[in-house]
């Protein structure tokens, strides 16, 4: 009962002083909105870049084209050998008919060219399309296929043509990943410092109040309570507003970004970013930071 | 009655009087509530605000503490509210050394003491009513008690029409009255008044002195730091005179003679 009365009083005091110090509260909330928004924005961007690179990496494959003299059984046995490798994710067999289909779909504009190759005359080779777990593993598959055992059977391996491109893609995506995480880490540290400093200043402006409360006989808990609660309110308000801005920004800019990147379905870019999760995380972070910063900032004045 | 005040000022309220440590032998005299034992306070190597001050305060006393500016009156008040700690000697309240109060006990001690601060120390973003109610709120007083007592004491100090003004909007004299009301509202056992009439006109001054008298009659010890000669002379109460951080005289029914 006593606890209830105390909690009610602390809540009431906090709400009243939030309003009476509204400019100070507004400034603190704005700073929190900006920092929360910046961090979430970059995190989303990073997640998008990550899912894009993952998508790009998954598209990197290696195709082996076989001489027409090779029997289907031989090809299937190679397919099975490949599937047995731990670094191979999938192997697709492309028959002559399938290759022709692809040829046709790729050359719909130019019927003359398209019809050069037809059911009667089909020089397109049979091939295996191999995907690995990591693009880095392609090198191993390439070495394996280039060994002397298979040399007479194989017409061509696409990897040799694309090696430069694949290498560069691997480098760029790893670079983006690491730089992204380092930047996010830095942003998080910077925003914690900014939020702490802001809350510290708002409390510093009211240090006289804290001293008086103590002289009148308020317990540390009674003095701290309203300040901590105010910090929590800043956090909640900031999280809600920052989420809203982020949501609106996503609605406005994602379709344009999708067009620019040539990704038809934008949602694939952010498929692993749930907006609900963003709100919840921001709320938790906001409340956590608001509380922690207030606790530390008031402690200094309580001595 | 005597015993009640003794235990009320005692924080632990238990086993205190039974203890017979050597330095508490004087406690045999049960009417002693506050004891200053050779108290000194140095703010820095060169500045000694109080030097070797000793005196006792008995139950129900009304003491005027007088002396020129810089005599050490305010330091004495700060020592008594635990705002500062003595650098030498001891201050015993109800037999307990208050510089040894634990951090958690300090608020409980302060709730038993009412202080009218020289610089008022009012909460700036709160109204008159809220400032006074705050002293009761920290004591965990129920809402009903707050609703009953606060308007009464506001009326007593004549601020009813100012009850919902912010303290920043008040004049010096009005702030002083708020400070007085806050110090009295929770019926403290010890009332310390540091220049409570400094900002008041003669009529208000007498009203306040009158009020302090009334409080004292109800059993509260009053310690009045003042340099208002007229007021102190008319009180006909004990006067402790300080100069340069030392007690130079301590007289029953004393006068302001500096």
């Amino acid at each position: 009962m006593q606890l209830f009365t105390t909690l009610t009083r602390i809540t009431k005091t906090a709400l009243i002083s939030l309003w009476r110090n509204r400019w100070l509260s507004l400034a603190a909330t704005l700073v929190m909105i900006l920092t929360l928004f910046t961090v979430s924005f970059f995190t989303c961007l990073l997640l998008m870049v990550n899912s894009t690179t993952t998508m790009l990496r998954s598209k990197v494959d290696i195709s082996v084209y076989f001489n027409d003299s090779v029997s289907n059984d031989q090809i299937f046995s190679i397919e099975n050998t490949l599937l047995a490798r731990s670094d191979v994710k999938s192997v697709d067999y492309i028959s002559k008919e399938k290759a022709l289909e692809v040829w046709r779909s790729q050359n719909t504009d130019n019927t003359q060219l398209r019809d050069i190759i037809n059911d009667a005359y089909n020089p397109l080779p049979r091939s295996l399309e191999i995907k690995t777990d990591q693009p880095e593993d392609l090198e191993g598959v390439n070495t394996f296929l280039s060994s002397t055992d298979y040399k007479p059977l194989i017409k061509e391996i696409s990897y040799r043509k694309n090696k430069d491109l694949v290498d560069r893609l691997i480098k760029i995506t790893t670079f983006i990943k690491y730089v992204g995480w380092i930047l996010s880490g830095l942003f998080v540290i910077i925003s914690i410092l900014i939020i702490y400093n802001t809350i510290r200043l708002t409390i510093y402006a009211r240090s006289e109040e804290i001293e008086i409360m103590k002289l009148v006989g308020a317990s540390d808990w009674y003095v701290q309570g309203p300040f901590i609660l105010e910090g929590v309110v800043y956090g909640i308000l900031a999280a809600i507003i920052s989420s809203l801005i982020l949501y609106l920004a996503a609605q406005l800019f994602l379709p344009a970004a999708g067009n620019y990147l040539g990704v038809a379905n934008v949602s694939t870019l952010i498929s692993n970013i749930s907006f609900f999760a963003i709100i919840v995380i921001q709320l938790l972070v906001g409340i956590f930071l608001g509380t922690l910063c207030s606790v530390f900032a008031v402690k200094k004045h309580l001595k | 009655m005597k015993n009640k005040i003794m235990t009320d000022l005692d924080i632990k309220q238990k086993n205190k009087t039974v203890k017979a440590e050597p330095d508490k032998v004087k406690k045999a005299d049960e009417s002693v509530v506050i004891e200053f034992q050779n108290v000194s306070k140095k703010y820095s190597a060169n500045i000694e605000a109080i030097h070797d001050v000793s005196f006792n305060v008995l139950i129900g006393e009304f003491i005027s503490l007088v002396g020129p500016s810089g005599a050490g009156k305010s330091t004495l008040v700060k020592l008594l509210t635990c705002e500062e700690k003595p650098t030498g000697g001891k201050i015993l309240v109800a037999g307990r050394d208050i510089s040894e109060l634990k951090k958690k006990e300090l608020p409980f001690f302060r709730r038993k003491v009412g202080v009218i601060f020289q610089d008022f120390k009012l909460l700036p973003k709160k109204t008159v009513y809220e400032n006074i109610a705050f002293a009761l709120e920290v004591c965990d007083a129920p809402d009903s008690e707050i609703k009953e007592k606060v308007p009464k004491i506001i009326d007593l100090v004549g601020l009813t029409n100012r009850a919902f003004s912010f303290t920043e909007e008040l004049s010096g004299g009005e702030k002083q009255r708020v400070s007085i009301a806050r110090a009295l509202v929770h019926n403290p056992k010890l009332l310390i008044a540091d220049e409570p009439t400094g900002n008041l006109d003669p009529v208000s001054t007498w009203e306040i002195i009158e009020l302090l008298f009334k409080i004292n009659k109800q059993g509260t010890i009053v310690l009045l730091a003042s340099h208002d000669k007229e007021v102190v002379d008319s009180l006909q109460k004990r006067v402790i005179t300080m100069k340069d951080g030392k007690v130079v005289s301590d007289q029953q029914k004393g006068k302001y003679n500096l």
Side-chain angles (χ1 to χ4, degrees):
Chain A
M1 189 58 212
Q2 190 53 61
L3 184 71
F4 178 74
T5 314
T6 309
L7 284 179
T8 321
R9 281 175 187 169
I10 286 176
T11 313
K12 212 175 131 196
T13 311
L15 293 180
I16 289 177
S17 88
L18 263 175
W19 174 245
R20 290 193 185 151
N21 298 292
R22 50 192 172 275
W23 290 110
L24 220 54
S25 316
L26 186 71
T29 313
L30 273 179
V31 170
M32 271 188 110
I33 292 173
L34 280 176
T35 44
L36 275 183
F37 176 74
T38 314
V39 171
S40 335
F41 181 77
F42 272 93
T43 313
C44 284
L45 213 59
L46 187 69
L47 287 174
M48 272 169 65
V49 169
N50 261 347
S51 64
T52 314
T53 53
T54 317
M55 191 180 75
L56 285 178
R57 284 165 70 98
S58 73
K59 285 203 169 161
V60 180
D61 56 15
I62 185 168
S63 291
V64 207
Y65 300 95
F66 294 94
N67 291 322
D68 285 351
S69 57
V70 179
S71 74
N72 277 349
D73 286 344
Q74 272 176 306
I75 294 178
F76 293 143
S77 99
I78 293 176
E79 183 178 1
N80 285 330
T81 327
L82 283 169
L83 277 172
R85 287 174 66 98
S86 60
D87 51 1
V88 171
K89 197 163 77 182
S90 67
V91 181
D92 282 323
Y93 171 67
I94 312 288
S95 62
K96 276 187 171 293
E97 293 72 32
K98 185 87 185 289
L100 181 60
E101 243 173 71
V102 174
W103 168 264
R104 280 177 175 156
S105 70
Q106 280 174 348
N107 295 289
T108 44
D109 299 338
N110 191 341
T111 45
Q112 258 187 316
L113 181 66
R114 190 189 70 189
D115 293 336
I116 291 177
I117 300 173
N118 49 51
D119 293 326
Y121 172 72
N122 185 352
L124 294 171
R126 290 158 300 168
S127 62
L128 287 177
E129 232 177 66
I130 305 150
K131 283 190 176 164
T132 51
D133 294 324
Q134 299 295 329
E136 287 86 344
D137 298 331
L138 289 173
E139 181 74 54
V141 177
N142 178 53
T143 324
F144 170 72
L145 289 170
S146 306
S147 68
T148 41
D149 292 356
Y150 299 115
K151 205 144 200 184
L153 314 177
I154 291 170
K155 196 173 182 182
E156 193 178 298
I157 299 177
S158 68
Y159 184 74
R160 283 172 214 145
K161 282 196 299 188
N162 300 333
K163 191 171 186 314
D164 271 358
L165 194 67
V166 172
D167 280 353
R168 210 180 306 161
L169 186 70
I170 290 172
K171 271 188 197 152
I172 289 173
T173 52
T174 353
F175 178 76
I176 289 177
K177 224 179 187 172
Y178 286 126
V179 170
W181 286 121
I182 291 169
L183 275 183
S184 314
L186 271 179
F187 267 124
V188 168
I189 293 171
I190 291 171
S191 50
I192 290 174
L193 287 178
I194 291 177
I195 291 174
Y196 172 66
N197 219 31
T198 311
I199 291 186
R200 201 176 61 95
L201 284 178
T202 66
I203 291 177
Y204 180 76
R206 294 160 63 191
S207 57
E208 192 199 347
E209 247 176 277
I210 296 176
E211 187 209 332
I212 296 170
M213 287 174 171
K214 292 210 69 186
L215 279 175
V216 178
S219 61
D220 282 1
W221 162 233
Y222 201 89
V223 176
Q224 280 181 58
F227 286 100
I228 294 172
L229 210 60
E230 281 173 50
V232 171
V233 174
Y234 299 153
I236 294 175
L237 284 179
I240 293 173
I241 295 172
S242 143
S243 301
L244 266 177
I245 298 174
L246 203 65
Y247 178 73
L248 289 178
Q251 293 296 308
L252 280 175
F253 296 114
L254 267 186
N259 276 340
Y260 181 73
L261 294 173
V263 183
N265 190 1
V266 191
S267 64
T268 58
L269 277 181
I270 46 164
S271 57
N272 48 359
I273 312 172
S274 141
F275 190 69
F276 181 71
I278 290 178
I279 295 183
V280 172
I281 292 172
Q282 288 209 56
L283 267 179
L284 289 179
V285 171
I287 292 172
F288 179 73
L289 282 183
T291 313
L292 205 71
C293 295
S294 306
V295 169
F296 276 110
V298 188
K299 272 270 149 58
K300 289 205 163 169
H301 294 285
L302 290 175
K303 268 186 282 181
Chain B
M1 181 70 192
K2 281 181 180 180
N3 280 328
K4 186 178 182 306
I5 293 172
M6 294 295 289
T7 46
D8 275 350
L9 259 176
D10 189 345
I11 317 308
K12 282 210 166 152
Q13 297 194 341
K14 264 187 186 173
N15 307 328
K16 269 293 120 175
T17 40
V18 205
K19 275 193 184 170
E21 288 166 34
D23 58 278
K24 287 174 189 165
V25 168
K26 273 188 197 158
K27 273 218 66 204
D29 182 0
E30 285 211 342
S31 58
V32 177
V33 181
I34 304 170
E35 273 177 84
F36 276 73
Q37 296 179 350
N38 312 99
V39 175
S40 298
K41 173 68 186 175
K42 272 187 183 177
Y43 283 107
S44 66
N46 300 323
I47 304 167
E48 189 169 36
I50 285 184
H51 178 74
D52 196 24
V53 167
S54 299
F55 63 88
N56 289 349
V57 179
L58 309 181
I59 277 176
E61 270 196 309
F62 190 122
I63 298 178
S64 303
L65 191 63
V66 304
S69 303
K73 301 188 302 270
S74 288
T75 302
L76 208 76
V77 169
K78 280 184 181 166
L79 289 173
L80 211 45
T81 57
C82 287
E83 241 183 293
E84 300 284 352
K85 286 195 172 170
T87 44
K90 272 183 187 174
I91 304 169
L92 302 181
V93 175
R96 180 111 194 257
D97 186 347
I98 56 169
S99 64
E100 279 172 6
L101 283 177
K102 294 198 183 75
K103 208 174 173 305
K104 280 202 167 167
E105 295 172 315
L106 191 57
F108 292 93
F109 172 72
R110 284 179 172 161
R111 288 172 206 171
K112 300 265 163 63
V113 181
V115 186
I116 304 166
F117 295 98
Q118 197 170 15
D119 53 351
F120 321 130
K121 296 213 188 291
L122 301 176
L123 295 164
K125 293 278 180 180
K126 288 192 190 292
T127 63
V128 169
Y129 185 96
E130 287 165 347
N131 259 282
I132 299 167
F134 188 79
L136 285 173
E137 282 172 13
V138 299
C139 297
D140 296 330
D143 289 340
S144 55
E145 189 189 333
I146 295 176
K147 275 195 192 114
E148 188 205 322
K149 277 190 171 171
V150 177
K152 261 191 196 166
I153 198 112
I154 289 179
D155 188 42
L156 192 70
V157 294
L159 283 176
T160 306
N161 58 344
R162 289 296 214 175
F164 296 102
S165 302
F166 287 98
T167 51
E168 292 162 322
E169 303 161 359
L170 302 180
S171 72
E174 285 168 327
K175 283 181 188 167
Q176 189 119 47
R177 288 153 188 267
V178 180
S179 181
I180 292 167
R182 185 184 59 189
L184 295 179
V185 72
H186 57 300
N187 299 325
K189 303 300 161 201
L190 167 65
L191 180 69
I192 302 168
D194 195 2
E195 303 284 0
T197 56
N199 286 286
L200 301 181
D201 55 89
V203 178
S204 309
T205 300
W206 288 113
E207 280 172 8
I208 297 304
I209 296 298
E210 213 53 28
L211 198 64
L212 294 181
F213 250 95
K214 217 163 114 186
I215 304 294
N216 178 240
K217 278 211 183 92
Q218 289 166 6
T220 301
I221 299 168
V222 177
L223 188 69
L224 169 70
S226 175
H227 50 219
D228 189 331
K229 182 173 163 49
E230 215 182 321
V231 167
V232 174
D233 286 352
S234 68
L235 285 172
Q236 301 281 312
K237 295 277 186 185
R238 183 176 167 195
V239 175
I240 295 175
T241 310
M242 290 187 72
K243 204 183 171 192
D244 298 330
K246 290 170 197 151
V247 174
V248 291
S249 81
D250 185 348
Q251 305 164 296
Q252 297 297 326
K253 299 208 175 181
K255 297 254 180 197
Y256 192 117
N257 42 11
L258 271 172

mmCIF file of all heavy atoms in Angstrom, chain A residues 13 26 45 50 59 71 92 96 98 138 145 178 203 216 218 222 231-232 238 248 250 257 278:
data_model
loop_
_atom_site.group_PDB
_atom_site.id
_atom_site.type_symbol
_atom_site.label_atom_id
_atom_site.label_comp_id
_atom_site.label_asym_id
_atom_site.label_seq_id
_atom_site.Cartn_x
_atom_site.Cartn_y
_atom_site.Cartn_z
ATOM 1 N N THR A 13 4.774 13.171 -9.952
ATOM 2 C CA THR A 13 5.851 14.170 -9.971
ATOM 3 C C THR A 13 6.555 14.172 -11.322
ATOM 4 O O THR A 13 6.826 15.234 -11.895
ATOM 5 C CB THR A 13 6.891 13.845 -8.875
ATOM 6 O OG1 THR A 13 6.203 13.617 -7.647
ATOM 7 C CG2 THR A 13 7.863 14.988 -8.703
ATOM 8 N N LEU A 26 11.577 18.372 -24.426
ATOM 9 C CA LEU A 26 11.491 18.325 -25.880
ATOM 10 C C LEU A 26 12.887 18.162 -26.480
ATOM 11 O O LEU A 26 13.109 17.323 -27.359
ATOM 12 C CB LEU A 26 10.845 19.614 -26.392
ATOM 13 C CG LEU A 26 10.551 19.651 -27.886
ATOM 14 C CD1 LEU A 26 9.400 18.714 -28.204
ATOM 15 C CD2 LEU A 26 10.223 21.052 -28.344
ATOM 16 N N LEU A 45 19.686 -0.206 -43.501
ATOM 17 C CA LEU A 45 20.456 -0.116 -44.738
ATOM 18 C C LEU A 45 21.440 -1.274 -44.818
ATOM 19 O O LEU A 45 21.586 -1.928 -45.851
ATOM 20 C CB LEU A 45 21.205 1.214 -44.745
ATOM 21 C CG LEU A 45 21.397 1.872 -46.107
ATOM 22 C CD1 LEU A 45 20.056 2.139 -46.759
ATOM 23 C CD2 LEU A 45 22.195 3.157 -45.957
ATOM 24 N N ASN A 50 23.183 -6.344 -46.923
ATOM 25 C CA ASN A 50 23.552 -7.725 -46.638
ATOM 26 C C ASN A 50 22.699 -8.713 -47.401
ATOM 27 O O ASN A 50 23.202 -9.667 -47.984
ATOM 28 C CB ASN A 50 23.413 -8.008 -45.137
ATOM 29 C CG ASN A 50 24.762 -7.929 -44.464
ATOM 30 O OD1 ASN A 50 25.793 -7.900 -45.138
ATOM 31 N ND2 ASN A 50 24.748 -7.886 -43.150
ATOM 32 N N LYS A 59 23.751 -16.158 -56.543
ATOM 33 C CA LYS A 59 23.579 -16.262 -57.985
ATOM 34 C C LYS A 59 24.860 -16.706 -58.694
ATOM 35 O O LYS A 59 24.838 -17.060 -59.870
ATOM 36 C CB LYS A 59 23.122 -14.913 -58.555
ATOM 37 C CG LYS A 59 21.669 -14.649 -58.235
ATOM 38 C CD LYS A 59 21.059 -13.674 -59.185
ATOM 39 C CE LYS A 59 19.555 -13.664 -58.986
ATOM 40 N NZ LYS A 59 18.948 -12.458 -59.535
ATOM 41 N N SER A 71 28.499 -39.822 -72.688
ATOM 42 C CA SER A 71 27.181 -40.423 -72.474
ATOM 43 C C SER A 71 26.496 -39.778 -71.278
ATOM 44 O O SER A 71 27.147 -39.210 -70.395
ATOM 45 C CB SER A 71 27.332 -41.918 -72.235
ATOM 46 O OG SER A 71 27.855 -42.107 -70.947
ATOM 47 N N ASP A 92 22.390 -28.897 -61.016
ATOM 48 C CA ASP A 92 21.248 -29.048 -61.922
ATOM 49 C C ASP A 92 21.750 -29.545 -63.282
ATOM 50 O O ASP A 92 22.695 -28.998 -63.843
ATOM 51 C CB ASP A 92 20.542 -27.694 -62.120
ATOM 52 C CG ASP A 92 19.666 -27.372 -60.939
ATOM 53 O OD1 ASP A 92 19.059 -28.318 -60.386
ATOM 54 O OD2 ASP A 92 19.595 -26.190 -60.554
ATOM 55 N N LYS A 96 19.880 -30.997 -73.509
ATOM 56 C CA LYS A 96 19.861 -30.219 -74.746
ATOM 57 C C LYS A 96 18.535 -29.490 -74.924
ATOM 58 O O LYS A 96 18.486 -28.332 -75.347
ATOM 59 C CB LYS A 96 20.108 -31.159 -75.952
ATOM 60 C CG LYS A 96 21.586 -31.415 -76.189
ATOM 61 C CD LYS A 96 21.774 -32.198 -77.483
ATOM 62 C CE LYS A 96 23.247 -32.291 -77.901
ATOM 63 N NZ LYS A 96 23.807 -30.996 -78.292
ATOM 64 N N LYS A 98 16.421 -28.524 -72.603
ATOM 65 C CA LYS A 98 16.323 -27.423 -71.634
ATOM 66 C C LYS A 98 17.147 -26.231 -72.121
ATOM 67 O O LYS A 98 16.709 -25.077 -72.066
ATOM 68 C CB LYS A 98 16.836 -27.927 -70.268
ATOM 69 C CG LYS A 98 16.692 -26.966 -69.131
ATOM 70 C CD LYS A 98 15.321 -27.096 -68.465
ATOM 71 C CE LYS A 98 15.105 -26.049 -67.400
ATOM 72 N NZ LYS A 98 15.937 -26.290 -66.215
ATOM 73 N N LEU A 138 33.815 -22.057 -55.050
ATOM 74 C CA LEU A 138 33.791 -22.348 -56.473
ATOM 75 C C LEU A 138 35.173 -22.756 -56.991
ATOM 76 O O LEU A 138 35.305 -23.623 -57.853
ATOM 77 C CB LEU A 138 33.293 -21.131 -57.263
ATOM 78 C CG LEU A 138 31.791 -20.812 -57.114
ATOM 79 C CD1 LEU A 138 31.462 -19.506 -57.807
ATOM 80 C CD2 LEU A 138 30.957 -21.947 -57.688
ATOM 81 N N LEU A 145 37.153 -30.192 -61.267
ATOM 82 C CA LEU A 145 36.699 -30.508 -62.616
ATOM 83 C C LEU A 145 37.811 -30.386 -63.657
ATOM 84 O O LEU A 145 37.781 -31.038 -64.692
ATOM 85 C CB LEU A 145 35.543 -29.584 -63.005
ATOM 86 C CG LEU A 145 34.223 -29.854 -62.281
ATOM 87 C CD1 LEU A 145 33.225 -28.729 -62.560
ATOM 88 C CD2 LEU A 145 33.649 -31.196 -62.712
ATOM 89 N N TYR A 178 32.033 -6.095 -43.364
ATOM 90 C CA TYR A 178 32.857 -5.678 -42.225
ATOM 91 C C TYR A 178 32.725 -4.190 -41.932
ATOM 92 O O TYR A 178 32.499 -3.789 -40.790
ATOM 93 C CB TYR A 178 34.317 -6.054 -42.462
ATOM 94 C CG TYR A 178 34.552 -7.531 -42.295
ATOM 95 C CD1 TYR A 178 35.143 -8.296 -43.286
ATOM 96 C CD2 TYR A 178 34.136 -8.166 -41.118
ATOM 97 C CE1 TYR A 178 35.336 -9.660 -43.128
ATOM 98 C CE2 TYR A 178 34.318 -9.526 -40.953
ATOM 99 C CZ TYR A 178 34.921 -10.276 -41.955
ATOM 100 O OH TYR A 178 35.094 -11.602 -41.792
ATOM 101 N N ILE A 203 19.484 16.937 -16.282
ATOM 102 C CA ILE A 203 19.468 16.731 -14.829
ATOM 103 C C ILE A 203 20.359 17.746 -14.137
ATOM 104 O O ILE A 203 20.037 18.251 -13.064
ATOM 105 C CB ILE A 203 19.868 15.276 -14.499
ATOM 106 C CG1 ILE A 203 18.755 14.331 -14.965
ATOM 107 C CG2 ILE A 203 20.110 15.100 -13.012
ATOM 108 C CD1 ILE A 203 19.044 12.880 -14.776
ATOM 109 N N VAL A 216 15.293 18.160 2.551
ATOM 110 C CA VAL A 216 13.984 18.079 3.181
ATOM 111 C C VAL A 216 13.734 16.660 3.714
ATOM 112 O O VAL A 216 12.798 16.420 4.447
ATOM 113 C CB VAL A 216 12.884 18.524 2.192
ATOM 114 C CG1 VAL A 216 11.511 18.413 2.793
ATOM 115 C CG2 VAL A 216 13.134 19.953 1.768
ATOM 116 N N ALA A 218 14.066 13.633 1.625
ATOM 117 C CA ALA A 218 13.640 12.624 0.655
ATOM 118 C C ALA A 218 14.714 11.543 0.559
ATOM 119 O O ALA A 218 15.902 11.847 0.585
ATOM 120 C CB ALA A 218 13.431 13.264 -0.709
ATOM 121 N N TYR A 222 13.378 8.204 -3.669
ATOM 122 C CA TYR A 222 12.300 9.157 -3.944
ATOM 123 C C TYR A 222 12.772 10.294 -4.838
ATOM 124 O O TYR A 222 12.005 10.818 -5.648
ATOM 125 C CB TYR A 222 11.768 9.709 -2.618
ATOM 126 C CG TYR A 222 10.389 10.288 -2.728
ATOM 127 C CD1 TYR A 222 9.278 9.482 -2.546
ATOM 128 C CD2 TYR A 222 10.208 11.626 -3.034
ATOM 129 C CE1 TYR A 222 8.006 10.008 -2.669
ATOM 130 C CE2 TYR A 222 8.935 12.158 -3.155
ATOM 131 C CZ TYR A 222 7.838 11.342 -2.978
ATOM 132 O OH TYR A 222 6.581 11.853 -3.102
ATOM 133 N N GLY A 231 13.313 9.814 -17.962
ATOM 134 C CA GLY A 231 14.209 9.209 -18.946
ATOM 135 C C GLY A 231 13.492 8.125 -19.742
ATOM 136 O O GLY A 231 13.631 8.038 -20.968
ATOM 137 N N VAL A 232 12.687 7.329 -19.034
ATOM 138 C CA VAL A 232 11.929 6.264 -19.707
ATOM 139 C C VAL A 232 10.943 6.870 -20.700
ATOM 140 O O VAL A 232 10.808 6.396 -21.830
ATOM 141 C CB VAL A 232 11.185 5.400 -18.654
ATOM 142 C CG1 VAL A 232 10.233 4.445 -19.337
ATOM 143 C CG2 VAL A 232 12.178 4.645 -17.798
ATOM 144 N N ALA A 238 10.673 8.798 -28.060
ATOM 145 C CA ALA A 238 11.661 8.831 -29.140
ATOM 146 C C ALA A 238 11.544 7.583 -30.006
ATOM 147 O O ALA A 238 11.591 7.670 -31.239
ATOM 148 C CB ALA A 238 13.062 8.946 -28.563
ATOM 149 N N LEU A 248 7.670 5.726 -42.621
ATOM 150 C CA LEU A 248 7.301 6.608 -43.725
ATOM 151 C C LEU A 248 8.409 6.656 -44.767
ATOM 152 O O LEU A 248 8.146 6.591 -45.967
ATOM 153 C CB LEU A 248 7.018 8.020 -43.193
ATOM 154 C CG LEU A 248 5.727 8.140 -42.381
ATOM 155 C CD1 LEU A 248 5.558 9.557 -41.846
ATOM 156 C CD2 LEU A 248 4.531 7.776 -43.265
ATOM 157 N N ALA A 250 10.563 4.392 -45.434
ATOM 158 C CA ALA A 250 10.586 3.123 -46.163
ATOM 159 C C ALA A 250 9.504 3.116 -47.232
ATOM 160 O O ALA A 250 9.742 2.734 -48.383
ATOM 161 C CB ALA A 250 10.387 1.968 -45.196
ATOM 162 N N ALA A 257 14.167 2.911 -54.679
ATOM 163 C CA ALA A 257 15.439 2.200 -54.538
ATOM 164 C C ALA A 257 15.382 0.869 -55.278
ATOM 165 O O ALA A 257 16.333 0.464 -55.938
ATOM 166 C CB ALA A 257 15.748 1.969 -53.060
ATOM 167 N N ILE A 278 11.397 -3.859 -35.554
ATOM 168 C CA ILE A 278 12.115 -2.582 -35.432
ATOM 169 C C ILE A 278 11.515 -1.735 -34.319
ATOM 170 O O ILE A 278 12.227 -1.181 -33.486
ATOM 171 C CB ILE A 278 12.071 -1.810 -36.773
ATOM 172 C CG1 ILE A 278 12.938 -2.546 -37.788
ATOM 173 C CG2 ILE A 278 12.555 -0.385 -36.574
ATOM 174 C CD1 ILE A 278 12.946 -1.910 -39.148
#
